[in-house]
Amino acid sequence: MTADGPSRLPDPATGDGPSRLPDLGRLRLLTELHRLGTMAAVAASTGYGTSAVSKHLAVLEQEMGVRLLRPVGRRVRLTPAGERLAEHAVGVLASVEAVRAELRGGTEPVGRVRLASFFTAVEPVVLPALARLRTLHPRVSLELHEHEPEHTVELLRAGAVDLGVVYEYSLVPRAVPEELDARLFAEQPLYLAVPAGSPDSGRPAALADLRGFADVGWIANSRGSDDDELVHRVCAVAGFTPRIVHRMDSLHLVNSLVGAGLGVALLAESGIERDRTDVAFRPVDPLAGTRRSLLLARTGQWSWPPVAAVADLIAPGAGGPAGRQRGVRFPPEPPARAGETGG
């Protein structure tokens, strides 16, 4: 590195800097190094020898005309220029894959897809998709990880997973980074969970009804901040500030705390345990919004055949070229008012 910026490598033929476009195979090795961290891991992942990986990356430096690697002890790390090139390379390689897939037509997808999902979507959404995937596309393997949405977004940005299932509330829209695309594929109503036998426990809960719980303790999520924010925003619309007394990671524990009379909670439909006799679930006024499920991928990755195969099973018909994508926030849509019905 010089005072003027990254030190440049001479072209092997002229000594005057880079003379040709980078080789796609070497770009793929760079993205693997960025993802895996070590030459040995790249070699194990690609089938190259460690020495061959090192030589190919050295040639890539010459092709680009900048230092991409720096030694750290017995290992190497990417320079800032290497990090930036690796980020760009993801989109470049995805675009090339998209062209190849389009030209090849109906080829059978082959490869591994790493998917991160929040807990309550795994059983009703991901597992059925995985079962169909094994039948329809047996050469695509799915590697599943359970994470909260905030962590899933960071894993996608880092290239550690290929697809992410996350959620947002229409009153608490999730900011999707520019380098990711989002596809909305499901919405769920919200319920107020109250102890069984509470007054009006068999009726829907209008926003005005929530004021009757201003002095009651509320239960929220212990990991993500979205659930806290949802409770505060809904209660603010109802005209009071909630007192959050418990934060639980387990939705089963949330249901149990409500059943024990230790608080009330706002839950999406997939979080309620309908067979409980100690909890009543009151549908909340549509003005409180909904919970939306989103499928995320890095920009340009949707057309890679294995990712496309998994995405089509999890979110059939969602998104696509005309869909709502590219750094979208999905701002809240106007909810139906009392007495109105949808089309």
Side-chain angles (χ1 to χ4, degrees):
M1 179 77 72
T2 67
D4 298 323
S7 57
R8 297 179 65 81
L9 291 170
D11 179 77
T14 67
D16 294 330
S19 63
R20 63 173 185 260
L21 292 174
D23 177 83
L24 293 179
R26 296 184 185 113
L27 283 179
R28 194 174 298 280
L29 290 178
L30 184 72
T31 62
E32 286 296 282
L33 180 60
H34 183 249
R35 181 174 69 90
L36 299 172
T38 68
M39 294 279 197
V42 173
S45 173
T46 62
Y48 284 102
T50 304
S51 176
V53 172
S54 178
K55 289 178 181 177
H56 278 296
L57 292 176
V59 173
L60 181 61
E61 285 189 317
Q62 293 177 332
E63 291 174 337
M64 296 304 300
V66 294
R67 294 282 181 187
L68 302 176
L69 308 175
R70 59 184 177 86
V72 178
R74 300 181 63 183
R75 297 186 176 185
V76 296
R77 292 289 183 270
L78 296 183
T79 65
E83 294 273 357
R84 188 61 177 156
L85 178 59
E87 292 170 2
H88 280 297
V90 170
V92 170
L93 294 170
S95 296
V96 172
E97 284 292 337
V99 173
R100 286 176 175 168
E102 181 179 340
L103 295 177
R104 284 197 303 261
T107 56
E108 173 65 24
V110 179
R112 179 189 62 162
V113 176
R114 299 159 299 168
L115 172 71
S117 172
F118 62 96
F119 176 77
T120 55
V122 172
E123 191 166 4
V125 176
V126 178
L127 290 185
L130 179 56
R132 295 195 299 273
L133 180 72
R134 294 162 73 179
T135 300
L136 297 174
H137 305 292
R139 300 180 68 189
V140 176
S141 62
L142 184 64
E143 182 181 293
L144 182 59
H145 304 265
E146 188 234 317
H147 290 289
E148 289 294 300
E150 293 88 347
H151 194 192
T152 292
V153 168
E154 293 309 311
L155 290 172
L156 280 163
R157 298 182 72 183
V161 297
D162 306 298
L163 284 172
V165 177
V166 303
Y167 67 84
E168 67 172 7
Y169 296 105
S170 56
L171 286 186
V172 191
R174 184 173 301 284
V176 178
E178 283 297 319
E179 63 267 36
L180 303 182
D181 286 339
R183 295 182 176 182
L184 172 65
F185 68 90
E187 290 192 75
Q188 294 183 9
L190 300 179
Y191 290 80
L192 178 68
V194 301
S198 299
D200 299 321
S201 60
R203 296 176 51 246
L207 286 177
D209 296 334
L210 297 182
R211 286 197 291 270
F213 298 92
D215 297 325
V216 176
W218 289 72
I219 306 166
N221 190 289
S222 64
R223 285 203 264 183
S225 61
D226 292 8
D227 296 80
D228 268 25
E229 187 64 26
L230 174 70
V231 171
H232 280 285
R233 292 191 184 189
V234 170
C235 293
V237 174
F240 68 97
T241 300
R243 181 171 58 93
I244 297 179
V245 294
H246 306 293
R247 288 182 171 84
M248 293 290 134
D249 177 29
S250 164
L251 288 171
H252 173 68
L253 288 178
V254 173
N255 281 267
S256 295
L257 286 171
V258 173
L262 298 177
V264 298
L266 276 177
L267 295 173
E269 188 171 31
S270 61
I272 67 178
E273 297 179 344
R274 293 185 180 274
D275 58 344
R276 299 191 73 108
T277 58
D278 55 349
V279 182
F281 300 101
R282 302 178 61 182
V284 179
D285 190 321
L287 286 171
T290 60
R291 192 181 78 172
R292 299 165 165 173
S293 296
L294 312 173
L295 185 63
L296 304 182
R298 293 189 298 280
T299 300
Q301 288 285 69
W302 296 108
S303 56
W304 185 50
V307 165
V310 176
D312 287 344
L313 291 173
I314 291 177
R324 297 187 290 176
Q325 298 182 353
R326 187 69 181 168
V328 288
R329 269 185 170 271
F330 297 129
E333 298 170 354
R337 297 186 178 275
E340 294 182 353
T341 58

